[in-house]
Structures are given as structure tokens and as C-alpha cells.
Amino acid sequence: MNTIERKPAFGIRKTYPVLDMSCAACAVSVESMLKHTAGVQDAGVNYANQTAWVQYDPQIATPESLQKAVQSVGYDLIIDAEDPNVVQEEARQQQYAELKQRTIWSVVLSVPVLLLGMFGMNWPFANYIMLVLTAPVVFWLGRSYFVNAWRQARHGMANMDTLVALSTGIAFLFSTFNTLYPQFWLDRGQMPHVYFEAAAVIIAFISLGKLLEERAKSNTGSAIKKLIGMQPQTVRVVAGDVEREIPLAEVQIGHTLVVRPGERIAVDGTVVSGSSYIDESLISGEPVPVSKATGDAVFAGTINQKGAFRFEARKVGADTVLARIIRSVQDAQGSKAPVQQLVDRVAGVFVPVVLGVALLTFLGWLLFGPPDTALTTGLLTAVTVLVIACPCALGLATPTAIMVGIGKGAESNILIKDAESLELGNKVDAVVLDKTGTITEGKPTVTDSKWLIGTANTALLESILLALESQSEHPLADAIVAHLTKSGVAQLELDGFESVTGQGVTGQYQGDTYLIGNRRLLTENGARVPANVDKLVDMWESQAKTVVFFASAHQPVLAVFAIADPVRSSARQAIGQLQQQGITTYMLTGDNVRTAAAVAEQVGIQQVQAGVLPAEKASFIQQLQRQGHTVAMVGDGINDAPALAQADVSMAMGRGADIALDVARMTLISTDLTSVPKALTLARKTVRTIRQNLFWAFIYNLIGIPIAAGILYPAFGFLLSPMIASAAMALSSVSVVSNSLRLRGAKL
């Protein structure tokens, strides 16, 4: 995971990998320390992907001061590594290997202690053997719990390590006293029971649970690992006639790189020699390889097919399209859903509350328990409460589901900007779609044209028209430019130019004002449409073609053009799927009513708004929201910016290198419109998984803690063993992560 830097309104914002967090309360501790560091304006920590983002004033705070604050409570930030992702992954691997060794030795030493505790209690020296075997388990193999608990206590904090250290430490010390001084209890008519097996097995089970949890958590980040794996580690650079291999990190803008058949492209660039076909499905979502020749752009992570070519590096490192996609997914996986804020507040007070419950449990048994066993039972139940109440499952419930859900989306060419998008996507009941470039291909072509003046006068007018449309950013303008250019029309210089939003463009040449656009533009400039032209326009529009008028101000129309933009092959299927999900679909377009109706009929949309300006699209969405709808807007991410900003969930159709990662909450990389229902299905399944996880995490603690405290003892004589409690605690975390991982196989 790369360190990410942004410049918000105040200060700067960076994301750092965090090391050594072991539970949700750890994340709360790190977040609290960061927020209380001088110069920090805000901070957040994600336990599942082990990262922290910090917004701070660089004149007051520094990465070093942030690192020291985190280190003071037993954790660490990676701040100065060239590739933080590699450092964090190496640290994880090392930590996993150490945890595996500790787990193996804990189990090896705990098994004989357990057997002696169950079957050899009356053997001579049994207690001393258990003492010798348990001591290294608790204080050597489990030393990290005590070290971290002490660091937390110094700052008035507590976390899972506090619970483990107190429970195993109390059990061990109490048992050691009873082993060395049994007469103290015998003189009072009580048996000196020992609980070495509880202390040893708790450490073993918790270590085993953490081992399984780490293995499961590593799978939640598989999408990121796949994306990062799409970058080759070395490249071949050409300087003169010399070709040499260098690491990817050393590639600079301007380097000429060689790509052979079957190789992945390392950075973004432009082909300078050779030709080939490239699989760009990672970037465009399209499975058909794209032809590349001199002058064409190529992108990092895409795969060369059969040909060989050379290209010049134009974007390297964090500036490539692939790097932006990786960064987008990382940001999203590290974001918090609104429900997580509640969970964080619960986790922040959970451990202190558990300590209070354990103390009350001990005092309750001491005051009201059977006189001969009150002290030992009180200690045993307090230890059990401390063990069973680990908040790991609670802390993992939301972020693991978010990580897997967003990773699943990335694998399906759906880039999700943040966790809140998933929560809102779950509530969407109305989807508004732009027509051009969303329902249609966005590749309009001129199919028909008619000049209404003599052919002798068209040459100059064609040049004026080409000059006007060349300066317009609208896709329809591109179609006319392509049509005129193909005919060999020469462009001239205009005296003035103005773009009229939602209508077309105007320009001045030698004192005359010319306009190209829709009927509204003509009306507002006094241009007239002859009756015979109206019949032609009606015919074209009934064929789902868009008609563009070319005129001179206060004069009759000079020419009309019919432009067809084919409907996406997936549009009807996608809209049908949305309607099957109970979602109402709307089409908004600036086009005329007749063309809009023809397109809507082709794809099965009943609700159509035609002749709508960009600002009016936003107003329409606002109207739906006032009616109580949660609205998703699907557009191209540029022309539809006001509507996308107004919508609850904004979806931009991605277009290769121009992917609108910063515009919408969700970016659909593929041009396949079925990505829309897939994205909403993913949102619903992710939120459902979060709710399942939170339900089981809360229920586990609500039921487990009272049982551990002995609530069933008066009626049934049942007390929960600390060993069973530690196994249940480990199982709860693993079950939550495993439930989240089911999303990876979900059908969208």
C-alpha cells in the first residue's frame, strides 16, 4: 500500500501503513494518539487493511512526530520507505512467521498442561510441572500482550492485549501462589485449585485465532495484490543502440522502452515504432484487443499480444492510469462506512466497560458466592469475562466486508470511491441515465445531411462550420468535424466563439454570426426553419437520429445534419435488470422529444425527460429526492457534473485513460451498461454482509459476557471454562472474516 498524499483545504493529508495492530481497540488507540498529536486536524484508522490517514499542518506536525506518537502506544507507522507497500508486506510476512512459531510452541507446551490439569491433578509434583510448562507460554510466547498492555496503561488506554494480559496473568499468579503455598487454603478448609491449563490454553487459542484471522485477512486484499501484480518489476530501456534492463522504479519520463509479445506494459506512454494488438480489458473493460501503431497511447498493466514495438514513457510511477486505479481502490478500502463510526465509538468504550464488568463479577462472587469457593470462582469467572469479551469480531465486521466488496467491484471493472457509496447504493430505488455516451455508444456519426443553398456557396460555409465545431467539446460536434474533415474541408480562423450550454455554439466571421445546434438555439437567435425542412427533421427524428441545424442569425437555416449514435448492445438488458430489482429508471437528455422517445422505446425506459439542460438534470434529481427517492445518476462524468454532484450515488462511465476517478462515487470502467445493476447488487450484498457480521459480533458479546460472568449458575449450576471462552473468542473473529470472504464468490 503506497503512501498517499493529497492537499485538502487546510494542511495536507497522507495515508500511512500501520504495523502491529491486533484488534479494533488497537485501531481506536492509534487514532486517538494521532488526533491528539500537535498539528493534526483529523485522522482515521482502518484495522482491516492496517492503514491510518492523517490530515495535518506540515508547519507543526511532521511524519516523524506522527510516528513517535504511534510508537508510544506500541505500534508503528511506515513513513520513509521508498515503497511502503513492500515494507508493510515484508513486516506482515515476518509477523505471520513469528506468530506461527509462537502458536506451534504454545500448543506443544499447553497440551501436556491441559492433560495434567484434567487427568493428573492428584499426581505428585503435577502442579510444579504445569508451573514450569505454563511460565514460558504466558511470559515468553505471550509476552507481547503484557508489553502492549503496559504501553496502553501508561497513556490511560486499554485494548485486547489488556484483557489477555490481565486474564492470563491473574490465572497464572493465583495458581502459582496455590502451588507454592497450598497450606494457606488447607488451613481454611479449602482446596488450593490451580488454573495453569486455563492460562496456557488461553494464550494458545488466542494465538491460533490470530493466526487464522491473519490468513483470512490476507485474502481480503487479494484485489489490490492482483492489480499491483500487473506491474512488471523490470523493463528494457533503449539508449541509442544499447538495450538494457532496469528496475521499474528507475524508469523516467522520456525513456524509450521495448515491449515484446506477451509482455505487460510497465508505464503509460506513446508508441514510437512498431505495431501490435494490446489487451486493454483492465483499463477499458473491453475484451477485444486494440490495434496500436506509431502515435497511439499505451497504458501500464495492459498486455501486448503478438507484435513488438517501442514506446516513449509519458507517465510513470503514481501518475499512470493503473496506479490511479490502485490508489482509488486502496482509498476506498481504507474508508469507513457511516455505520463504522458507531462501531468505533462502541469499541472505544468496550474494553473499559469489560474491565468494569469483570471487576463487578469478581466482587459479586466474593460477596454472594458459596463461602468455600467464592474467591476462586470469582477469579475464574472474572478471567473468563476478560477472555470472551475480545472486541476483534466487532472491529472486523465492517472493514473486512468493505474491503472484499470493493475488491470484488474492482475485479468486475467497478471502481468504488468510498464505503459510504456502498451504504447509499444499497438504498437506491431510482436510476437516472444520461442518453449520449451512457445509453448510446457515445460515438455519433453523421448519417444524413442537406444543404439548403446552392452548392456554389457551400465551400466557405463548410469551413466556417468546421471552425465552429472544432472548438466545441460536445460528442455531436466531433461527428460533424469527422464528416467535414473526411470531405477535405479546410478550416479558417473565426473572429469570435461562444459555447451555449445545452444548445450548441455560436461564432462570428466577417461581421456575420453563425450558429450550430438545436432548435432552441435557432429560436433564441431569430433563425428560421422552413416548413419543408420540418418534414425532413420529423422523419430523421422518428428514426432515433439527432438533428443539428446550421444557420446564420436572423436568417433561414443553411443546412441540417442527422446524427446517429447507436444504442449500446447491453442497454436494454441492463435496464431490464434494474427494473427487475424494483428500481425505476429515467432517461434525461438535451436531445429533442422525438429522438429521445425513439431511443427510450429501444431500451425499455418509460420515464423520459427531453430537451433538458445540464442544470435542469440536477433539478430533476433534486425533485426525485424531495419525493423520498434515493437516486443514482449514470453519466459520462464530465458533461453531467451538476447532476452527478446532486445524486446520492453518482456513476461515471469510464473511458480508457480519461477514467473519471475523481468525479463520481462509482466509476464503471467497462462500457457494458450491465455494470450499473451489478454495482447496485454488490452494494446490497456488501451491506447485507456488514449487517450479518455486526449482528453476530454484538450477539456474541451480549450472550457470551453474561454467561462468562456466571448468570446460568444459580439455575443450572453451569460455569463457562476460560479455555472454552478463548476458543469461542477466536472462532468469532474467524467467522466474521470468513463470512466477509463469501462476497468474493457472490454472483453480481
Side-chain angles (χ1 to χ4, degrees):
M1 190 168 303
N2 296 321
T3 300
I4 303 158
E5 179 175 343
R6 296 199 202 92
K7 292 187 178 179
F10 302 100
I12 63 173
R13 172 172 163 147
K14 284 190 177 182
T15 300
Y16 299 102
V18 185
L19 301 179
D20 302 324
M21 289 195 297
S22 59
C23 71
C26 297
V28 173
S29 297
V30 173
E31 188 171 310
S32 176
M33 290 304 298
L34 288 171
K35 284 183 175 179
H36 287 87
T37 301
V40 172
Q41 295 150 348
D42 199 8
V45 177
N46 186 297
Y47 171 49
N49 67 2
Q50 305 281 292
T51 61
W53 63 265
V54 191
Q55 184 174 314
Y56 64 93
D57 183 345
Q59 295 181 346
I60 302 173
T62 64
E64 289 73 20
S65 67
L66 301 176
Q67 185 183 46
K68 286 179 181 176
V70 172
Q71 288 174 337
S72 69
V73 282
Y75 311 103
D76 201 2
L77 288 183
I78 300 175
I79 62 169
D80 54 3
E82 184 175 321
D83 189 343
N85 178 71
V86 172
V87 176
Q88 186 181 36
E89 188 58 33
E90 289 175 352
R92 279 181 177 172
Q93 293 293 337
Q94 183 179 351
Q95 189 177 13
Y96 182 81
E98 292 174 357
L99 181 59
K100 187 175 182 179
Q101 287 295 318
R102 290 202 306 270
T103 302
I104 292 171
W105 280 107
S106 297
V107 171
V108 168
L109 294 174
S110 298
V111 168
V113 175
L114 180 63
L115 294 174
L116 282 172
M118 294 175 64
F119 306 111
M121 292 178 291
N122 298 320
W123 288 8
F125 306 109
N127 287 0
Y128 289 96
I129 296 172
M130 287 191 287
L131 170 61
V132 170
L133 292 174
T134 302
V137 175
V138 174
F139 297 112
W140 178 248
L141 300 173
R143 67 189 182 280
S144 61
Y145 299 113
F146 293 89
V147 171
N148 291 336
W150 169 246
R151 287 173 175 165
Q152 293 285 315
R154 282 166 48 201
H155 292 272
M157 298 177 178
N159 62 3
M160 172 199 160
D161 295 327
T162 308
L163 303 182
V164 176
L166 281 174
S167 59
T168 56
I170 290 169
F172 182 84
L173 293 175
F174 182 68
S175 301
T176 300
F177 179 84
N178 290 357
T179 298
L180 299 177
Y181 305 103
Q183 203 61 40
F184 177 86
W185 297 106
L186 294 173
D187 291 345
R188 290 162 176 76
Q190 297 182 27
M191 288 297 295
H193 295 293
V194 296
Y195 301 99
F196 288 119
E197 75 281 7
V201 173
I202 286 170
I203 295 291
F205 268 133
I206 288 175
S207 299
L208 180 60
K210 296 303 293 180
L211 188 70
L212 296 174
E213 180 186 307
E214 287 300 318
R215 285 187 62 181
K217 274 166 55 183
S218 67
N219 290 329
T220 64
S222 60
I224 284 288
K225 291 175 183 175
K226 286 180 183 177
L227 288 171
I228 292 173
M230 291 176 178
Q231 297 171 302
Q233 297 305 303
T234 60
V235 297
R236 280 182 297 278
V237 174
V238 178
D241 296 328
V242 180
E243 184 178 312
R244 60 193 178 91
E245 193 168 281
I246 64 171
L248 176 62
E250 294 180 12
V251 177
Q252 297 179 8
I253 294 173
H255 275 169
T256 300
L257 280 62
V258 178
V259 182
R260 293 172 182 164
E263 293 182 341
R264 284 195 184 273
I265 294 166
V267 297
D268 294 0
T270 304
V271 177
V272 293
S273 66
S275 63
S276 184
Y277 283 86
I278 294 180
D279 177 358
E280 292 188 343
S281 56
L282 166 72
I283 303 297
S284 66
E286 302 295 341
V288 180
V290 181
S291 173
K292 297 290 181 180
T294 301
D296 291 334
V298 293
F299 306 103
T302 57
I303 304 173
N304 184 29
Q305 299 286 295
K306 296 182 179 180
F309 62 91
R310 295 182 179 186
F311 73 97
E312 181 182 333
R314 292 290 177 88
K315 291 182 179 179
V316 301
D319 294 328
T320 66
V321 171
L322 177 60
R324 289 170 60 204
I325 292 174
I326 292 172
R327 192 158 63 245
S328 174
V329 177
Q330 287 176 333
D331 275 356
Q333 289 187 331
S335 65
K336 290 183 181 179
V339 69
Q340 181 64 22
Q341 296 168 5
L342 170 65
V343 175
D344 286 347
R345 288 197 295 271
V346 171
V349 299
F350 189 81
V351 174
V353 168
V354 168
L355 293 174
V357 171
L359 180 60
L360 290 174
T361 299
F362 173 70
L363 294 175
W365 279 97
L366 201 61
L367 295 173
F368 305 109
D372 55 336
T373 60
L375 179 61
T376 55
T377 305
L379 280 171
L380 194 65
T381 50
V383 166
T384 307
V385 167
L386 292 171
V387 169
I388 205 168
C390 170
C392 283
L394 197 62
L396 289 167
T398 300
T400 52
I402 297 261
M403 286 184 69
V404 177
I406 287 171
K408 174 75 174 177
E411 292 173 0
S412 305
N413 289 321
I414 302 166
L415 295 185
I416 298 166
K417 194 166 190 177
D418 52 36
E420 187 178 8
S421 308
L422 291 171
E423 281 208 31
L424 289 170
N426 172 62
K427 301 174 185 176
V428 166
D429 58 2
V431 172
V432 176
L433 300 108
D434 175 48
K435 179 177 78 70
T436 305
T438 301
I439 292 176
T440 62
E441 294 281 359
K443 299 174 182 176
T445 56
V446 175
T447 59
D448 305 276
S449 64
K450 183 173 181 62
W451 284 90
L452 305 176
I453 58 172
T455 55
N457 300 319
T458 58
L460 175 62
L461 293 172
E462 284 180 333
S463 294
I464 294 171
L465 176 58
L466 178 60
L468 281 168
E469 292 293 64
S470 295
Q471 296 184 55
S472 173
E473 75 285 350
H474 199 281
L476 297 182
D478 293 339
I480 292 178
V481 169
H483 174 71
L484 294 174
T485 304
K486 192 184 298 182
S487 303
V489 175
Q491 188 171 323
L492 49 72
E493 196 73 31
L494 296 173
D495 299 326
F497 174 85
E498 182 184 0
S499 177
V500 184
T501 303
Q503 297 182 29
V505 297
T506 66
Q508 289 76 42
Y509 182 74
Q510 293 185 351
D512 291 324
T513 298
Y514 295 91
L515 29 137
I516 173 80
N518 56 25
R519 195 182 290 265
R520 184 186 299 187
L521 182 67
L522 267 64
T523 302
E524 293 187 2
N525 286 273
R528 299 187 300 277
V529 181
N532 63 324
V533 174
D534 272 331
K535 292 181 181 179
L536 181 64
V537 169
D538 288 344
M539 182 184 73
W540 284 346
E541 288 179 349
S542 67
Q543 298 169 356
K545 295 177 181 178
T546 301
V547 178
V548 175
F549 301 88
F550 178 46
S552 179
H554 307 291
Q555 299 293 325
V557 170
L558 299 170
V560 285
F561 297 87
I563 300 174
D565 187 5
V567 170
R568 292 187 189 278
S569 58
S570 59
R572 189 173 187 87
Q573 179 188 354
I575 288 157
Q577 290 174 350
L578 288 170
Q579 292 168 347
Q580 286 173 7
Q581 294 174 10
I583 295 171
T584 307
T585 54
Y586 301 82
M587 185 179 81
L588 301 187
T589 178
D591 215 335
N592 64 83
V593 174
R594 190 185 293 270
T595 301
V599 172
E601 185 179 357
Q602 287 184 45
V603 298
I605 291 181
Q606 308 299 323
Q607 311 284 341
V608 182
Q609 295 284 321
V612 183
L613 298 175
E616 293 172 339
K617 292 181 183 180
S619 299
F620 179 79
I621 291 172
Q622 198 171 29
Q623 181 183 337
L624 290 176
Q625 290 169 329
R626 282 197 295 266
Q627 295 170 5
H629 294 289
T630 302
V631 184
M633 169 70 190
V634 187
D636 63 9
I638 301 168
N639 298 330
D640 302 306
L644 288 167
Q646 180 62 44
D648 298 288
V649 177
S650 48
M651 298 184 181
M653 299 292 287
R655 292 182 182 175
D658 296 320
I659 294 169
L661 294 176
D662 299 323
V663 176
R665 284 180 174 270
M666 296 185 184
T667 299
L668 311 177
I669 299 178
S670 173
T671 55
D672 186 347
L673 206 57
T674 57
S675 293
V676 176
K678 284 180 181 178
L680 297 179
T681 299
L682 176 64
R684 284 194 295 275
K685 290 189 175 183
T686 303
V687 170
R688 187 187 311 144
T689 302
I690 290 172
R691 289 172 178 169
Q692 291 169 351
N693 288 350
L694 288 174
F695 172 80
W696 288 113
F698 275 113
I699 287 296
Y700 164 80
N701 283 298
L702 286 174
I703 295 174
I705 291 175
I707 292 176
I711 197 172
L712 298 179
Y713 185 80
F716 304 101
F718 175 79
L719 284 176
L720 188 65
S721 162
M723 292 179 290
I724 302 299
S726 61
M729 183 275 290
L731 185 63
S732 69
S733 297
V734 175
S735 64
V736 161
V737 178
S738 299
N739 188 48
S740 296
L741 287 171
R742 290 193 310 116
L743 273 172
R744 291 173 63 186
K747 185 177 180 182
L748 301 181

